[in-house]
Amino acid sequence: MLSVLQLYSSSPLRNFSYLIYSDRNGEAVCVDPYDAKQIVTALKKLGLKLKSILNTHEHPDHVHGNLELKEETKATVFGHPDARGKIPGMDEILKESGVYFENEGDSLVAWETPGHTDCHFCFALQSRTGTHSVFSGDMIFNAGVGNCTRGGNPSRMYHTIKNRFYSIPDEVLLYPGHDYWENNLGFSESIEPGNHSVTEVRSLMERKTKDVDFLISDFGMERKINPFFRLNEDSVRNSKRLESKESLSEEELFIRLRKLRDSW
Ligand SMILES: [Fe+2]
């Protein structure tokens, strides 16, 4: 069985890196290393050997720790084929549905997910019974989605999320690349002021120790609080923030919300 360690870096961008590891054989992979020293310390503490560094995409805050971590551990660096030259230390390419870690029936599978950039992958942790969790990089955040202003496209993001994530089971856990809970819940509240689930989740979040302990959502929770997963709710469609009288397609509504979030 594979375990997950979430590592938070108190950079202004509130980055998360992840170690996915096997207690049984002591092997690990790292998704989006930010602070290499922090990751090396965690590897030593848990007695793990790092096999691979997996980058969700090419933005500097997701590849920040690549070279130092590679130097320390000799791990192989994987990235999107079109991001070669932008991902420091990249050795190998990621492929759609490729398996990048496996142990005792669990596997870590790459899903190509363009939208935030054209070179984006998410990683799904799967067991024999289905998907257990998703490492979503800058594609999906708690109560939000990534921006499309640095190499992305909101229409492609909509289609990726619709095809990959709208039907994902409720119990699948979401491990995003940043802690953007607070801002995103504020945006959700501005779109749907009467959404009690947002208020409930905010109080759950506020019970956590700030910058130490983080609320982990699942897709069931996202369907209650994330406006980008609520495009067919009247309260979103009729939101005063949209200032629109015409009836919008699901895709147009997604793009409209994304644009509003850009200037929120
Ligand atoms: Fe990014």
Side-chain angles (χ1 to χ4, degrees):
M1 195 186 142
L2 295 174
S3 303
V4 175
L5 179 67
Q6 184 183 51
L7 293 163
Y8 170 69
S9 174
S10 56
S11 70
L13 291 168
R14 308 184 64 77
N15 281 80
F16 286 131
S17 300
Y18 296 94
L19 284 177
I20 299 133
Y21 63 94
S22 160
D23 283 318
R24 174 71 70 93
N25 68 12
E27 291 184 339
V29 300
C30 180
V31 173
D32 288 353
Y34 187 83
D35 180 344
K37 284 187 179 54
Q38 178 194 41
I39 294 162
V40 169
T41 301
L43 289 167
K44 283 186 182 152
K45 193 173 163 195
L46 293 167
L48 300 173
K49 168 151 182 47
L50 192 71
K51 283 177 59 180
S52 309
I53 294 166
L54 308 177
N55 293 126
T56 57
H57 65 294
E58 72 276 25
H59 284 161
D61 53 315
H62 293 258
V63 301
H64 185 262
N66 273 21
L67 290 180
E68 192 179 339
L69 191 58
K70 182 178 174 176
E71 174 71 25
E72 284 279 339
T73 63
K74 311 300 175 216
T76 306
V77 178
F78 289 83
H80 192 288
D82 296 340
R84 216 184 259 286
K86 296 180 189 164
I87 292 185
M90 181 169 152
D91 299 301
E92 303 278 345
I93 59 166
L94 293 165
K95 291 181 186 159
E96 165 58 34
S97 304
V99 175
Y100 292 93
F101 197 31
E102 235 176 334
N103 190 263
E104 294 181 76
D106 282 1
S107 52
L108 190 67
V109 180
W111 288 350
E112 193 168 10
T113 52
H116 170 67
T117 76
D118 283 343
C119 304
H120 196 288
F121 275 90
C122 293
F123 299 98
L125 184 54
Q126 300 182 329
S127 67
R128 290 187 186 95
T129 54
T131 301
H132 174 272
S133 38
V134 170
F135 301 87
S136 61
D138 282 357
M139 186 76 194
I140 302 171
F141 296 122
N142 304 115
V145 297
N147 67 51
C148 302
T149 55
R150 290 184 299 150
N153 177 297
S155 172
R156 269 201 289 286
M157 174 173 266
Y158 163 74
H159 287 286
T160 298
I161 291 182
K162 181 181 172 67
N163 295 333
R164 288 276 188 190
F165 297 105
Y166 279 169
S167 57
I168 204 166
D170 280 351
E171 61 275 15
V172 175
L173 301 176
L174 176 66
Y175 289 113
H178 299 268
D179 169 38
Y180 288 162
W181 265 120
E182 208 165 320
N183 278 349
N184 283 344
L185 282 178
F187 181 69
S188 294
E189 276 166 347
S190 79
I191 296 295
E192 287 184 276
N195 183 341
H196 297 300
S197 297
V198 173
T199 318
E200 280 164 26
V201 169
R202 190 184 278 289
S203 71
L204 286 178
M205 194 190 83
E206 283 167 357
R207 269 180 246 158
K208 301 283 181 186
T209 309
K210 191 168 167 55
D211 295 352
V212 174
D213 187 18
F214 297 89
L215 179 63
I216 308 295
S217 74
D218 58 26
F219 281 85
M221 187 185 281
E222 293 302 322
R223 288 189 177 99
K224 292 180 183 167
I225 59 168
N226 189 329
F228 296 90
F229 280 74
R230 296 173 56 75
L231 302 175
N232 291 310
E233 297 293 328
D234 286 345
S235 45
V236 174
R237 289 203 153 262
N238 301 327
S239 171
K240 288 196 173 71
R241 292 290 315 283
L242 290 167
E243 292 169 3
S244 139
K245 297 282 173 276
E246 79 271 39
S247 106
L248 301 173
S249 70
E250 209 180 68
E251 179 175 350
E252 287 166 337
L253 179 55
F254 184 99
I255 293 169
R256 190 76 67 90
L257 283 174
R258 186 53 262 178
K259 198 157 189 273
L260 274 178
R261 179 65 180 83
D262 286 343
S263 56
W264 186 78

